[in-house]
Amino acid sequence: MAESLELHPDRLLPADPGTRAIARELYATVADLPIVSPHGHTDPAWFATDANWTDATSLLLAPDHYLYRMLYSQGVALDALAIPSKAGAPATDPRAAWRLFASNYHLFRGTPSRMWLDHVFAEVFGMGVRLEVSTADQYFDAIGSALATDAFRPRALFDRFRIDFLATTEGAEDDLSPHHAIHRSGWAGRVVTTYRPDGVIDVEHEAFKPAMARFADLTGEDVYSWRGYLAAHRKRRADFRAAGATATDHGHPTAATANLSPDEAERLFATIVTGTWTPADAELFRAQMLTEMAAMSVEDGMVMQIHPGSCRNHNAGLFASHGRDKGADIPTRTDYVHALKPLLDRFGNERDLSIILFTLDESTYARELAPLAGHYPCLKLGPSWWFHDSPEGMRRFREMTTETAGFYNTVGFNDDTRAFLSIPARHDVARRIDCGFLARLVAEHRLADWEAAELAQELTSGLVRRAYKIDDHPPADAGKRETLAAKAA
Amino acid sequence: MAESLELHPDRLLPADPGTRAIARELYATVADLPIVSPHGHTDPAWFATDANWTDATSLLLAPDHYLYRMLYSQGVALDALAIPSKAGAPATDPRAAWRLFASNYHLFRGTPSRMWLDHVFAEVFGMGVRLEVSTADQYFDAIGSALATDAFRPRALFDRFRIDFLATTEGAEDDLSPHHAIHRSGWAGRVVTTYRPDGVIDVEHEAFKPAMARFADLTGEDVYSWRGYLAAHRKRRADFRAAGATATDHGHPTAATANLSPDEAERLFATIVTGTWTPADAELFRAQMLTEMAAMSVEDGMVMQIHPGSCRNHNAGLFASHGRDKGADIPTRTDYVHALKPLLDRFGNERDLSIILFTLDESTYARELAPLAGHYPCLKLGPSWWFHDSPEGMRRFREMTTETAGFYNTVGFNDDTRAFLSIPARHDVARRIDCGFLARLVAEHRLADWEAAELAQELTSGLVRRAYKIDDHPPADAGKRETLAAKAA
Amino acid sequence: MAESLELHPDRLLPADPGTRAIARELYATVADLPIVSPHGHTDPAWFATDANWTDATSLLLAPDHYLYRMLYSQGVALDALAIPSKAGAPATDPRAAWRLFASNYHLFRGTPSRMWLDHVFAEVFGMGVRLEVSTADQYFDAIGSALATDAFRPRALFDRFRIDFLATTEGAEDDLSPHHAIHRSGWAGRVVTTYRPDGVIDVEHEAFKPAMARFADLTGEDVYSWRGYLAAHRKRRADFRAAGATATDHGHPTAATANLSPDEAERLFATIVTGTWTPADAELFRAQMLTEMAAMSVEDGMVMQIHPGSCRNHNAGLFASHGRDKGADIPTRTDYVHALKPLLDRFGNERDLSIILFTLDESTYARELAPLAGHYPCLKLGPSWWFHDSPEGMRRFREMTTETAGFYNTVGFNDDTRAFLSIPARHDVARRIDCGFLARLVAEHRLADWEAAELAQELTSGLVRRAYKIDDHPPADAGKRETLAAKAA
């Protein structure tokens, strides 16, 4: 007989009874706050079409590289899990794939995927027994039936999840038609885009050429000249802002920035577009473009997010057979202190510029990121990211950043997910861990209880809303620049 | 009057009473399981000859560089501790050395050495008072008397410790005669060897030339030709397997691997054996040999262990006077992501290959190792190693690897020791810390109690037995290769 | 109505009631021990003149870059905080600056600055309400009134704080006149200097030339010849020892050391003083000078402190407008294993040499520093430093160093501060955290209670007094050298 599935109300709260009691009180004040999701990868077409999803495998398993990377590491073939390859989706029965997943569900013990999924199963689908091989069919049927109903269509779940703001991420070469469709539909849900121009900045990406062609088409600019290329970015940034974007996002191999003269930049760009570049040129161009993007953010007020340090597509064989984003991205050691200096030399003291830094290298939390964010007016710390978006990872983030950067140089939680149904689960984990951390500070008499309560609100709601300018009207003062150092000098 | 020595039954369990109660229950289920020691450095001659050890100093102090490194750091001369130098053993009275050690025993407060020794003193020798200067002679006498009895001979202690499997480590140039003697003796204890070919791979080792000569003698191959050299490795791997080995071990300065063409490899090898190599050649050859060893493991099924990142013999003066392994090895920053890629490009998707990775650089746990092991079918994570084989080190290992790699990409505990009498103590520490970690997950409602109980068994017994193929029969299907990516493609 | 300000007697002690009870007992035994402050940056002129300080802003806010870096990071202009720029002190009303600080005091929640300040407010000034915008004037007035009284003059506070030993830091080009004045005054307070020769070693420092000129004047040596330069160092070291110094201090960008031949060193020095050096020459010269300083410490018995790894003046604009030490120093990744080897090859086995290592890179604690200090007789570990001088930082220091280096290779606490009034607060935090750490070891049955009590004394008093030779008479045996390896060989 299957084990029952229950989400304990005290899950993730500290075990010490006194600390737990404080954490429980804090959590009660934020548990039901609306969700603000300023950085993620859900598909805007879901909200544009509001079409039903079909089954557990195609919704929950096949798109989630957190899940199949673990199964693959234990010898499970991707085909058997219905994961599409470059040849297309395999002819795998979705139910059989789900059973295979269920029979390996123990592999996820101790991982955040397990917590998120159990939350989805219990809270979204109302399952009362655990997922295991004996309940795989029961799950597959129940989830399939639910997904066929109106209550489980994307917009209905958006409302049920009490999502107040959801940002997706689109490339510079994207026409944003799903976002336009959402807007035209008159639906009240606030789903906005984010400007992620990596595809037209990273010449080492295999799709750089078609992305540039599309970038030219969409803007009517001569994107193969430096001047036209920059103008095209400005146009697309305006398009994205018109589709609700408040932020840009930049996923680079490193945090390198550069501060070339206009002539140097123009010459480098010519090398890039003529295809005569070296890997060092490609890196320098990405570095220069972070600084160019910062310059445009000073003009138009868009918040910059920098996500560096992932060695993408590490598994050569899997990349050849299955392409990108198949769970084979591996973090690397990342420097920020020297890497960001060229950009900061130019814009570090802008008080109206906001750059949110992320890392996959936790050794930089206390050593580099907290000291940088605890000094530069333009820098803020994004939450623990990707592999570190987990209870222990979040706890380490707070322990290693708070003493130097404080709470107010952080920006609340990002779910960073394409797994829409798990968004409430992920925000709930963050709220519980933050309340547990605050409760420890109270229990150790390092914060008063009322301060912790204020901070719980800030960490859940205030910081993210301000950092991502979610409640701002379009900045009337765009173009007005103010430098703290200038002011102080 | 001397303080009493008692091992508290709750030692190392979490202090929170609720969590401790859970940990205590979990620990009770694994405390008495047999010991599986798949990686260590005990002397097989002990079990071949079953001769009595003689005294506390020569058994417990003089061979243990964990102990005399600490004493040396505080100004105690090695001669006074009876530590042999290149000139041989000093003319130091063993009892006087033991007294000196006892008078400095406070230096070990807070270290694992202290815990292991107190366990040995209390459990193996039945001492009821603590080691201190006033009890030094009492200890020396009691230990000496015990060691003279049959009950303290190596095989008797092996049985008393309930050791089910013990792997030693021998070089490619070792004739394995103690292992053959153990086998011929008909003794039932399972003591096996491990193939560690560093001596004939690391041309920078001072004994490379004699090791190669011995390698040639033992195999009858022309080990100075690339083809003969590889054939000699194959022969010796077969010899080691015949002596029970299920694994190889590789202690390299870095984790670098290479994937040269056969011609490039042959040319490099010629440079190595003719002595015209540079340090970069030496490093490249070690790197290539890891890949060659992986190729042979795909053929013969031996598990590979990679132990990189120790800067050996850091103390030049001490190396000159005393030689290797005198407590002067210092860990260094270690990269895995780029270092392992050449090997993984070739064999990363082999589901029948098993490579166990170790590190001395804890910053790689969450950043590199857990993501690599949580994706590649051939990779597993070895336990916290050497300086990190300690309560805090083990706790950090679980906290930093579990959320990304899970429990099932780890391989249980390694004691990695030459201190035979401390083996039960070391396994006991690991079991207590793992049960404490599991108990916290239960207390925080992240695991069910029955899951934690299953995991406690796995962490103590199941994972190590499967990872090291301890219960396998010789693989009938050696040579059959299967690639997941090929299968999936 | 303002919230009350109370320092809870159990603050910073572990939340678990059993562990807290143990910690409380341990803390009671060390809470009132005299303060030994062997490394800091208070101004000796305060104790020479014993003049009254004037107001809260100029005493507590304007000199404290921990405070204004955080305010600056949140968009507060330095001028508005009365922070001096290169143009001098801004025309900012101190009371207005204090109000601005008070209105942003919430930014410091969770930081050590907040704890230190609340301690100063409550304990030194007797404030009963919290600092906030509504109490800013009350604070400003109360602090100003107190500072005008005799009881708040520097020597009175020195006595009230029960400071037994206080080391300041002066450059090689400093004439030590305040220290001489203190000595002449007959005041019993033990305020000594520390020899910090960076200004005449770091040719990249903007004031290298005037410092060298002053160095020449003070010593009468030809400091532009290698022989004269070394002789000048020897003279000044003797001057500093005469002013009570027991230690030197070296703040270098990296931990690099070198071991050049005398001829090579002389040629390098010629390059440095003729101004034809490259950045690599500057680094090599700093590296060589650490080894030269070690050689002199072997002669004269002064303890060496090495503080590497800060990227100074990272904010180019702020450096241009405001100069050094304005909160824009950012830690960088730091290597010790290879960096220190040249010095250690020469002096590593000297048992009369003492080098205290500090780091801003916590990833080196367990990987490099604890193994180095746990082996080399000349190395000790300084406490957690600067950004890591905080509850979580201290806890991580103990957790990551103790198991390999033990407690006895550490040197107690350094407050490292120019904020004189916060010295008792800082030592109190260290004592509480250390007692909490020891209490956990007792609660987990890893130490006996009486051992923890001994260690609490050592961590508070014994280790620092011995490491910094505070109770030593001038070494009669200076010049006598003894090498452990030589002895052992």
Side-chain angles (χ1 to χ4, degrees):
Chain A
M1 173 166 158
E3 298 282 339
S4 71
L5 174 64
E6 284 163 38
L7 304 184
H8 195 285
D10 285 339
R11 65 190 182 279
L12 293 172
L13 303 185
D16 170 65
T19 311
R20 177 169 288 183
I22 301 166
R24 204 187 277 138
E25 280 193 44
L26 290 170
Y27 173 69
T29 67
V30 297
D32 296 326
L33 287 178
I35 286 172
V36 174
S37 173
H39 178 91
H41 302 283
T42 53
D43 185 346
W46 294 334
F47 309 103
T49 66
D50 203 30
N52 291 91
W53 288 290
T54 58
D55 65 278
T57 297
S58 66
L59 176 60
L60 301 175
L61 174 59
D64 191 338
H65 55 67
Y66 286 78
L67 299 183
Y68 57 77
R69 79 190 310 278
M70 179 71 94
L71 298 163
Y72 187 73
S73 79
Q74 288 280 313
V76 178
L78 296 185
D79 270 12
L81 294 166
I83 311 305
S85 74
K86 285 188 170 175
T92 305
D93 174 30
R95 182 181 295 269
W98 185 259
R99 280 184 194 143
L100 181 60
F101 169 53
S103 71
N104 284 286
Y105 196 51
H106 62 285
L107 299 178
F108 296 94
R109 287 171 177 167
T111 72
S113 291
R114 150 74 182 271
M115 286 187 307
W116 298 329
L117 281 169
D118 279 356
H119 186 117
V120 169
F121 297 153
E123 291 287 306
V124 182
F125 292 107
M127 303 303 297
V129 293
R130 287 181 179 247
L131 181 64
E132 53 184 62
V133 69
S134 76
T135 60
D137 281 327
Q138 177 184 350
Y139 263 75
F140 193 80
D141 292 338
I143 291 172
S145 300
L147 292 177
T149 66
D150 283 352
F152 283 82
R153 288 164 66 191
R155 293 183 179 183
L157 287 179
F158 187 98
D159 291 341
R160 177 175 161 197
F161 293 165
R162 276 171 296 114
I163 297 175
D164 197 45
F165 180 94
L166 180 74
T168 68
T169 308
E170 275 74 43
E173 68 281 14
D174 190 292
D175 68 5
L176 302 179
S177 53
H179 282 281
H180 298 150
I182 293 169
H183 187 70
R184 281 194 310 269
S185 75
W187 177 54
R190 190 168 175 198
V191 175
V192 308
T193 185
T194 302
Y195 187 59
R196 176 138 175 179
D198 301 356
V200 297
I201 286 176
D202 183 7
V203 70
E204 293 183 310
H205 192 293
E206 64 275 16
F208 178 75
K209 279 189 186 172
M212 285 289 280
R214 191 110 181 86
F215 193 46
D217 285 351
L218 285 167
T219 60
E221 294 286 344
D222 173 12
V223 301
Y224 304 100
S225 78
W226 180 231
R227 190 175 301 255
Y229 177 77
L230 294 178
H233 276 292
R234 283 194 180 85
K235 278 193 177 169
R236 299 266 43 220
R237 291 170 68 105
D239 294 344
F240 275 65
R241 285 199 305 285
T246 69
T248 72
D249 184 35
H250 308 275
H252 285 205
T254 74
T257 65
N259 191 7
L260 302 178
S261 71
D263 283 357
E264 289 169 327
E266 185 162 8
R267 279 196 299 276
L268 174 61
F269 182 72
T271 307
I272 295 294
V273 293
T274 55
T276 58
W277 49 272
T278 63
D281 292 328
E283 173 73 353
L284 182 59
F285 184 65
R286 289 188 296 260
Q288 179 62 24
M289 283 309 298
L290 283 183
T291 307
E292 300 291 345
M293 289 291 111
M296 293 187 196
S297 278
V298 170
E299 291 170 11
D300 65 18
M302 294 181 87
V303 174
M304 266 186 97
Q305 300 170 93
I306 304 180
H307 284 88
S310 177
C311 177
R312 302 273 173 181
N313 315 309
H314 191 274
N315 188 327
L318 194 72
F319 184 58
S321 61
H322 284 71
R324 298 196 155 245
D325 298 328
K326 291 296 177 294
D329 299 339
I330 309 291
T332 55
R333 207 156 59 207
T334 305
D335 160 70
Y336 292 86
V337 179
H338 306 101
L340 293 177
K341 196 166 189 316
L343 187 159
L344 292 170
D345 281 349
R346 195 155 153 210
F347 296 118
N349 298 299
E350 296 289 338
R351 89 165 95 178
D352 295 329
L353 174 64
S354 187
I355 301 177
I356 300 174
L357 299 174
F358 294 81
T359 197
L360 294 172
D361 181 352
E362 293 179 309
S363 77
T364 66
Y365 280 158
R367 186 181 62 216
E368 304 181 23
L369 292 176
L372 286 165
H375 167 69
Y376 280 102
C378 70
L379 296 181
K380 297 270 182 299
L381 298 188
S384 53
W385 174 39
W386 199 340
F387 297 101
H388 311 307
D389 174 13
S390 61
E392 305 297 333
M394 290 173 179
R395 186 176 54 74
R396 285 195 292 269
F397 174 79
R398 292 288 174 211
E399 289 179 0
M400 295 201 274
T401 64
T402 304
E403 296 183 315
T404 291
F407 290 104
Y408 292 87
N409 282 305
T410 63
V411 301
F413 179 65
N414 280 192
D415 57 65
D416 190 26
T417 192
R418 64 199 74 233
F420 178 60
L421 272 63
S422 74
I423 286 180
R426 290 169 190 254
H427 286 258
D428 188 63
V429 170
R431 293 172 188 191
R432 288 172 181 274
I433 296 296
D434 279 342
C435 289
F437 179 73
L438 292 169
R440 181 162 72 83
L441 298 191
V442 173
E444 295 176 6
H445 305 288
R446 293 158 69 179
L447 282 180
D449 50 6
W450 59 270
E451 290 179 300
E454 273 186 34
L455 284 165
Q457 292 288 319
E458 286 286 45
L459 299 185
T460 307
S461 176
L463 290 167
V464 65
R465 300 190 84 92
R466 294 197 301 276
Y468 285 90
K469 305 186 176 184
I470 284 169
D471 305 314
D472 286 8
H473 297 285
D477 59 350
K480 199 186 85 182
R481 295 174 44 171
E482 186 178 33
T483 301
L484 282 177
K487 190 152 192 176
Chain B
M1 170 164 161
E3 298 281 339
S4 70
L5 175 63
E6 284 162 37
L7 303 185
H8 195 285
D10 286 339
R11 65 190 183 279
L12 293 171
L13 303 185
D16 170 65
T19 311
R20 177 168 288 182
I22 301 166
R24 203 187 278 139
E25 280 193 44
L26 289 170
Y27 173 70
T29 67
V30 297
D32 296 326
L33 287 178
I35 285 172
V36 174
S37 173
H39 178 92
H41 301 283
T42 53
D43 185 345
W46 294 334
F47 309 104
T49 66
D50 203 29
N52 290 91
W53 287 290
T54 59
D55 66 275
T57 296
S58 65
L59 176 60
L60 300 176
L61 173 58
D64 191 339
H65 56 66
Y66 286 78
L67 298 182
Y68 57 76
R69 79 190 309 278
M70 179 71 95
L71 298 162
Y72 187 73
S73 80
Q74 287 281 311
V76 178
L78 296 185
D79 270 12
L81 294 166
I83 312 304
S85 74
K86 285 188 170 175
T92 305
D93 173 31
R95 182 181 296 270
W98 185 259
R99 281 184 195 142
L100 182 59
F101 169 53
S103 71
N104 284 287
Y105 196 51
H106 63 284
L107 299 178
F108 296 95
R109 287 171 177 166
T111 72
S113 291
R114 151 73 182 273
M115 286 188 307
W116 299 330
L117 281 170
D118 279 357
H119 186 117
V120 169
F121 297 154
E123 292 287 306
V124 181
F125 293 107
M127 304 303 297
V129 293
R130 286 180 180 248
L131 180 64
E132 53 183 63
V133 69
S134 76
T135 60
D137 282 326
Q138 178 183 351
Y139 263 75
F140 193 81
D141 293 337
I143 291 172
S145 300
L147 292 177
T149 65
D150 283 351
F152 284 79
R153 288 164 66 191
R155 293 184 179 182
L157 288 178
F158 187 97
D159 291 340
R160 178 176 160 197
F161 293 165
R162 276 171 296 115
I163 297 176
D164 197 45
F165 180 95
L166 180 73
T168 68
T169 309
E170 275 74 44
E173 67 281 14
D174 190 291
D175 67 5
L176 302 179
S177 53
H179 282 282
H180 297 150
I182 293 169
H183 187 69
R184 280 193 310 269
S185 75
W187 177 54
R190 190 168 174 199
V191 175
V192 308
T193 185
T194 302
Y195 186 60
R196 176 139 174 178
D198 301 356
V200 297
I201 286 175
D202 183 6
V203 70
E204 294 183 310
H205 193 292
E206 64 275 16
F208 178 75
K209 279 189 187 172
M212 284 288 280
R214 191 109 180 87
F215 193 45
D217 285 350
L218 286 167
T219 59
E221 294 286 344
D222 173 12
V223 301
Y224 304 101
S225 78
W226 180 230
R227 189 175 302 254
Y229 178 76
L230 294 178
H233 276 292
R234 283 194 180 87
K235 277 193 179 170
R236 299 265 43 220
R237 293 170 68 105
D239 294 345
F240 276 65
R241 285 199 305 286
T246 68
T248 71
D249 184 35
H250 308 274
H252 285 204
T254 73
T257 65
N259 191 8
L260 302 178
S261 71
D263 282 356
E264 289 169 328
E266 185 162 9
R267 279 196 298 275
L268 175 62
F269 182 71
T271 307
I272 295 294
V273 292
T274 55
T276 59
W277 49 272
T278 64
D281 292 328
E283 173 72 354
L284 182 60
F285 184 66
R286 289 187 296 260
Q288 178 63 23
M289 284 308 298
L290 283 183
T291 308
E292 300 292 344
M293 289 292 111
M296 293 187 197
S297 278
V298 169
E299 291 171 11
D300 65 18
M302 294 182 87
V303 173
M304 266 186 96
Q305 300 171 92
I306 303 180
H307 284 87
S310 177
C311 178
R312 303 273 173 181
N313 314 308
H314 192 272
N315 187 327
L318 194 72
F319 183 58
S321 61
H322 283 72
R324 298 193 155 247
D325 298 328
K326 291 296 177 293
D329 299 338
I330 309 291
T332 56
R333 207 156 60 210
T334 305
D335 160 70
Y336 292 85
V337 179
H338 306 101
L340 293 177
K341 195 165 190 315
L343 188 159
L344 293 170
D345 281 349
R346 195 155 152 209
F347 297 118
N349 298 299
E350 296 289 338
R351 91 165 94 179
D352 295 329
L353 174 64
S354 187
I355 302 177
I356 300 174
L357 300 174
F358 294 81
T359 197
L360 294 172
D361 181 352
E362 293 180 308
S363 76
T364 65
Y365 282 158
R367 186 182 61 215
E368 305 181 23
L369 292 176
L372 285 166
H375 167 68
Y376 280 103
C378 70
L379 296 181
K380 296 270 182 298
L381 297 187
S384 53
W385 175 38
W386 198 340
F387 297 101
H388 310 307
D389 174 14
S390 61
E392 305 298 332
M394 290 173 179
R395 185 176 54 74
R396 285 196 293 269
F397 174 79
R398 292 287 174 212
E399 289 178 1
M400 295 202 274
T401 64
T402 305
E403 296 183 315
T404 291
F407 290 104
Y408 292 87
N409 282 306
T410 63
V411 303
F413 179 64
N414 280 191
D415 56 66
D416 190 27
T417 192
R418 65 198 73 231
F420 178 60
L421 273 62
S422 74
I423 286 180
R426 291 168 190 254
H427 286 259
D428 187 63
V429 171
R431 293 172 188 190
R432 288 172 182 273
I433 296 296
D434 279 342
C435 289
F437 179 72
L438 292 169
R440 180 162 72 83
L441 297 191
V442 172
E444 294 176 7
H445 305 290
R446 292 157 70 179
L447 282 179
D449 50 6
W450 59 270
E451 290 180 299
E454 272 186 33
L455 285 166
Q457 293 287 320
E458 285 286 44
L459 299 185
T460 307
S461 176
L463 290 167
V464 65
R465 299 190 85 92
R466 294 197 300 277
Y468 284 90
K469 306 186 177 185
I470 285 169
D471 304 314
D472 287 8
H473 298 284
D477 60 348
K480 200 186 86 184
R481 294 174 47 170
E482 186 178 33
T483 301
L484 283 176
K487 188 152 194 178
Chain C
M1 174 169 157
E3 298 282 339
S4 70
L5 175 63
E6 285 162 38
L7 303 184
H8 196 284
D10 286 338
R11 66 190 181 278
L12 293 171
L13 303 185
D16 170 64
T19 311
R20 177 169 288 182
I22 301 166
R24 203 187 277 138
E25 280 193 43
L26 291 170
Y27 174 69
T29 67
V30 297
D32 296 326
L33 288 178
I35 286 172
V36 174
S37 172
H39 177 92
H41 302 281
T42 52
D43 185 345
W46 294 335
F47 308 105
T49 65
D50 202 29
N52 290 92
W53 288 290
T54 58
D55 65 276
T57 297
S58 66
L59 176 60
L60 301 175
L61 173 59
D64 191 338
H65 55 68
Y66 285 78
L67 298 182
Y68 57 77
R69 77 190 310 278
M70 179 71 93
L71 298 163
Y72 188 72
S73 79
Q74 288 280 313
V76 178
L78 296 185
D79 271 12
L81 294 165
I83 311 305
S85 74
K86 286 187 170 175
T92 305
D93 174 31
R95 181 181 297 270
W98 186 258
R99 281 184 195 141
L100 182 60
F101 169 53
S103 71
N104 284 287
Y105 196 50
H106 63 285
L107 299 178
F108 296 94
R109 287 170 177 166
T111 72
S113 291
R114 151 73 182 272
M115 286 188 307
W116 298 329
L117 281 169
D118 278 357
H119 186 117
V120 169
F121 297 153
E123 292 287 308
V124 181
F125 292 107
M127 303 303 295
V129 292
R130 288 182 178 245
L131 180 64
E132 53 184 62
V133 71
S134 76
T135 61
D137 281 327
Q138 178 184 350
Y139 263 75
F140 193 82
D141 292 337
I143 291 171
S145 300
L147 291 177
T149 65
D150 284 350
F152 284 82
R153 288 164 65 192
R155 293 183 179 183
L157 287 179
F158 188 97
D159 292 340
R160 176 175 162 197
F161 293 166
R162 277 172 294 113
I163 297 176
D164 197 46
F165 180 95
L166 180 74
T168 68
T169 308
E170 275 74 42
E173 67 280 15
D174 190 291
D175 68 5
L176 302 179
S177 54
H179 282 282
H180 298 149
I182 294 169
H183 187 69
R184 281 193 311 269
S185 75
W187 177 55
R190 190 168 174 197
V191 175
V192 308
T193 186
T194 302
Y195 187 60
R196 176 137 174 181
D198 301 356
V200 297
I201 286 176
D202 183 6
V203 70
E204 293 182 310
H205 193 293
E206 64 275 15
F208 178 74
K209 280 189 185 172
M212 284 289 279
R214 190 109 181 88
F215 193 45
D217 285 350
L218 286 166
T219 60
E221 295 286 344
D222 173 13
V223 302
Y224 304 100
S225 78
W226 179 230
R227 189 175 302 253
Y229 177 77
L230 294 178
H233 276 292
R234 282 194 180 86
K235 278 192 178 171
R236 299 266 43 220
R237 292 171 68 106
D239 293 345
F240 276 65
R241 285 200 304 286
T246 69
T248 71
D249 184 36
H250 308 275
H252 285 204
T254 73
T257 65
N259 191 8
L260 302 177
S261 71
D263 283 356
E264 289 169 327
E266 185 161 9
R267 278 197 298 275
L268 174 61
F269 182 71
T271 308
I272 295 295
V273 292
T274 55
T276 58
W277 49 273
T278 63
D281 293 328
E283 173 73 354
L284 182 60
F285 184 66
R286 289 187 297 260
Q288 179 63 23
M289 284 308 298
L290 284 183
T291 308
E292 300 291 344
M293 289 291 111
M296 293 187 196
S297 278
V298 170
E299 291 170 11
D300 65 19
M302 294 182 88
V303 173
M304 267 186 95
Q305 300 170 91
I306 304 180
H307 284 88
S310 176
C311 177
R312 303 273 173 181
N313 315 307
H314 192 273
N315 187 327
L318 194 72
F319 183 58
S321 62
H322 284 72
R324 299 195 153 244
D325 297 328
K326 291 295 177 294
D329 299 339
I330 310 291
T332 55
R333 207 156 60 208
T334 305
D335 160 69
Y336 292 86
V337 179
H338 306 101
L340 293 176
K341 195 166 190 315
L343 188 159
L344 293 170
D345 281 350
R346 195 154 152 211
F347 297 117
N349 298 299
E350 296 289 337
R351 91 166 93 179
D352 295 329
L353 174 64
S354 187
I355 302 176
I356 300 174
L357 299 174
F358 294 80
T359 197
L360 294 172
D361 181 352
E362 293 180 307
S363 76
T364 65
Y365 281 158
R367 186 181 62 215
E368 304 181 23
L369 293 175
L372 285 165
H375 166 69
Y376 279 102
C378 70
L379 297 181
K380 297 270 182 298
L381 297 188
S384 53
W385 175 39
W386 199 340
F387 297 102
H388 310 308
D389 175 14
S390 61
E392 305 297 331
M394 291 173 179
R395 187 175 53 74
R396 285 195 291 269
F397 174 79
R398 291 288 174 212
E399 290 178 0
M400 295 202 273
T401 64
T402 305
E403 296 183 316
T404 292
F407 290 104
Y408 292 87
N409 282 305
T410 63
V411 302
F413 179 65
N414 280 191
D415 57 67
D416 190 25
T417 192
R418 64 200 73 232
F420 178 61
L421 272 63
S422 74
I423 286 179
R426 291 168 191 254
H427 286 258
D428 188 63
V429 171
R431 293 171 189 192
R432 289 172 181 273
I433 296 296
D434 279 341
C435 290
F437 179 72
L438 292 169
R440 181 162 71 84
L441 298 191
V442 173
E444 294 175 7
H445 305 289
R446 292 158 69 180
L447 282 179
D449 50 6
W450 59 271
E451 290 179 298
E454 272 186 33
L455 285 165
Q457 292 288 320
E458 285 286 44
L459 299 186
T460 307
S461 176
L463 290 168
V464 66
R465 300 189 85 91
R466 294 197 302 276
Y468 285 90
K469 306 187 178 184
I470 285 169
D471 304 314
D472 288 7
H473 297 283
D477 59 349
K480 199 187 85 183
R481 295 174 45 168
E482 186 178 34
T483 302
L484 281 177
K487 189 152 192 177

